[in-house]
């Protein structure tokens, strides 16, 4: 929900219809997953609501749907405070013992390892730094984000590794490197990125966390626990995934170093998605299985095409559980060479 609200800051009625339509469709899915059919929020947004600009002309239906983004945004903003107030604390043994409850419904009771202080890096989707308090020119943010993520994934590195990764094929002058690191330190804060020393090398502090670190922690809990609590941990891990790792940047001028990391992350994500889908199917939770299959394919480069290929491979009629099981088993990370044209087409 927070991600949708952040995206909405860049939208208005002059935005492309396709962009508004995609945003509102995603928001409706989120709101419907939170609210029951009789909840006031869903009553406001359902297509048959009185405010909805009904039209008999098919050519105007997408326009009408897109124009509903503003009231959808209002509902999201209204829901956010109540969700934050209702955020649950750590699980209790009594909560774990309610094993017969629908895991698809009570998964939010997992205590996410959300950082209360410091910076959080987004790697499972479009790269981003959350929580940086320093002032920096907007045209430097993308490059500084790459620096921060590389340092997070390669703590204690020396200048040779730094230069080879961030300025490949270039002869880097010491003053240029120092200027780049000073800008990053000013943006992140010295408490997050201390000055280089012979003992520490270039390293961020433990105050800096990431969605990838959170994903690994939740996935490890879930994989080692076959109970409903373990299943909820796997679901919580997948909830952190907002698209292919390093979405939209590998194959451009930067992040050439990131491809092995993206492959490792994608393999971990599809592995969790497969296991979670099987657990849901074993428990008879078809909505949960549908969700985990979809989430797994969304995390793959070219995931939509892979999903279509996997779906078309089901030749014989089968039950929905068998079809979902097949789709889950076909979830596989493949190294897709991303040219600039391919990346731009993925970004739309």
């Amino acid at each position: 929900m927070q991600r949708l609200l952040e995206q909405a800051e860049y939208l208005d009625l002059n935005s492309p219809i396709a962009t508004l339509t995609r945003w509102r469709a995603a928001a409706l899915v989120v709101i419907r997953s939170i609210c029951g059919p009789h909840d006031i929020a869903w009553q406001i947004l359902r297509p048959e609501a009185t405010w909805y600009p009904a039209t008999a002309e098919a050519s105007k239906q997408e326009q009408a749907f897109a124009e509903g983004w503003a009231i959808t945004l209002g509902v999201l903003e209204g829901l956010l405070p109540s969700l934050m107030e209702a955020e649950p604390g750590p699980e209790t043994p009594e909560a774990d013992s309610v094993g017969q409850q629908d895991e698809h419904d009570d998964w939010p009771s997992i205590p996410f390892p959300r950082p209360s202080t410091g910076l959080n890096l987004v790697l499972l989707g479009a790269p981003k730094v959350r929580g940086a308090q320093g002032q920096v020119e907007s045209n430097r943010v993308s490059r500084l984000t790459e620096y921060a993520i590389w340092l997070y994934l390669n703590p204690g590195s020396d200048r040779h590794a730094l230069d080879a990764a961030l300025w490949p094929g270039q002869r880097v002058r010491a003053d240029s490197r120092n200027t780049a690191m000073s800008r990053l330190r000013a943006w992140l804060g010295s408490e997050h990125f201390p000055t280089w020393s012979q003992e520490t090398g270039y390293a961020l502090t433990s105050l800096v966390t990431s969605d990838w670190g959170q994903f690994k922690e939740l996935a490890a809990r879930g994989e080692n626990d076959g109970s409903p609590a373990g299943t909820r941990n796997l679901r919580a891990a997948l909830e952190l995934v907002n698209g292919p790792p390093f979405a939209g940047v590998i194959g451009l001028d930067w992040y050439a170093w990131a491809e092995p990391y993206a492959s490792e992350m994608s393999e971990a994500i599809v592995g969790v998605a497969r296991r979670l889908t099987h657990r849901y199917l074993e428990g008879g939770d078809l909505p949960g299985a549908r969700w985990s299959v979809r989430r797994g394919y969304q995390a793959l480069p070219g995931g939509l095409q892979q999903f279509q290929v996997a779906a078309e491979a089901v030749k014989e009629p089968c039950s929905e559980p068998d079809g979902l099981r097949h789709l889950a088993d076909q979830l596989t990370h493949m190294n897709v060479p991303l040219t600039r044209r391919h990346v731009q087409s993925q970004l739309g």
Side-chain angles (χ1 to χ4, degrees):
M1 181 181 289
Q2 188 63 47
R3 183 166 175 263
L4 286 168
L5 291 172
E6 290 172 0
Q7 292 173 343
E9 293 178 4
Y10 302 94
L11 300 177
D12 58 35
L13 284 177
N14 295 318
S15 300
I17 290 177
T19 300
L20 292 174
T21 301
R22 283 197 301 270
W23 182 90
R24 183 167 180 245
L28 288 175
V29 170
V30 170
I31 293 169
R32 183 62 186 85
S33 69
I34 295 170
C35 304
H38 303 297
D39 191 289
I40 183 62
W42 186 248
Q43 289 297 310
I44 291 172
L45 292 177
R46 71 189 197 285
E48 63 271 21
T50 55
W51 70 269
Y52 192 86
T55 175
E57 299 180 43
S59 62
K60 295 182 179 179
Q61 288 178 354
E62 186 178 27
Q63 174 77 41
F65 187 80
E67 288 176 350
W69 81 273
I71 194 167
T72 306
L73 174 58
V75 171
L76 277 177
E77 291 172 334
L79 284 172
L80 185 61
S82 62
L83 288 179
M84 294 178 67
E85 292 170 5
E87 184 174 318
E91 263 190 330
T92 63
E94 290 76 12
D96 280 349
S97 67
V98 190
Q100 302 306 313
Q101 291 185 354
D102 187 351
E103 298 150 13
H104 178 66
D105 290 334
D106 65 0
W107 72 268
S109 61
I110 287 297
F112 276 71
R114 296 187 180 99
S116 56
T117 60
L119 295 169
N120 185 253
L121 307 180
V122 175
L123 289 71
L124 306 181
K128 186 185 301 184
V129 174
R130 291 176 174 154
Q133 300 299 315
Q135 298 298 314
V136 65
E137 298 91 337
S138 59
N139 63 330
R140 298 189 189 278
V141 169
S142 295
R143 189 65 164 138
L144 293 178
T145 297
E146 181 188 9
Y147 297 164
I149 292 175
W150 187 86
L151 289 170
Y152 173 80
L153 293 172
N154 298 272
S157 296
D158 61 21
R159 62 183 177 84
H160 302 292
L162 184 76
D163 294 351
L166 299 179
W167 299 280
Q170 300 181 36
R171 184 181 180 85
V172 183
R173 293 174 39 171
D175 58 345
S176 298
R177 182 191 316 108
N178 292 340
T179 297
M181 294 299 101
S182 294
R183 286 187 178 129
L184 180 63
R185 187 171 297 109
W187 186 41
L188 302 183
S190 58
E191 70 275 21
H192 301 123
F193 181 30
T195 303
W196 175 91
S197 72
Q198 187 72 40
E199 293 74 26
T200 64
Y202 291 96
L204 304 181
T205 70
S206 59
L207 289 173
V208 181
T209 59
S210 74
D211 55 359
W212 171 233
Q214 293 173 315
F215 176 92
K216 289 190 292 183
E217 182 177 345
L218 287 163
R221 289 187 204 166
E223 290 168 1
N224 296 322
D225 183 355
S227 74
T231 300
R232 293 194 297 271
N233 271 302
L234 293 179
R235 168 121 187 180
L238 277 188
E239 273 290 328
L240 294 169
V241 180
N242 291 303
F246 296 95
V249 294
I250 298 177
L252 298 179
D253 296 329
W254 305 333
Y255 288 93
W257 54 269
E259 195 161 346
Y261 294 98
S263 296
E264 176 190 356
M265 294 172 190
S266 292
E267 289 172 2
I269 292 166
V270 298
V272 168
R274 280 196 301 268
R275 284 187 286 276
L276 182 59
T277 301
H278 282 282
R279 287 200 193 183
Y280 277 140
L281 290 173
E282 289 166 7
D285 185 350
L286 288 179
R290 294 185 202 109
W291 179 88
S292 55
V293 165
R294 183 171 62 249
R295 201 77 169 189
Y297 279 99
Q298 286 174 345
L300 294 174
L304 177 59
Q305 291 81 358
Q306 289 198 41
F307 178 84
Q308 291 171 339
V309 170
E312 290 169 0
V314 182
K315 300 297 185 183
E316 300 297 328
C318 63
S319 66
E320 183 177 8
D322 287 342
L324 289 169
R325 189 173 290 105
H326 171 85
L327 291 174
D329 291 341
Q330 299 307 306
L331 269 169
T332 307
H333 169 72
M334 294 187 297
N335 288 317
V336 179
L338 295 181
T339 64
R340 179 181 295 273
R341 177 178 296 179
H342 180 83
V343 170
Q344 289 173 340
S345 68
Q346 292 243 341
L347 294 175

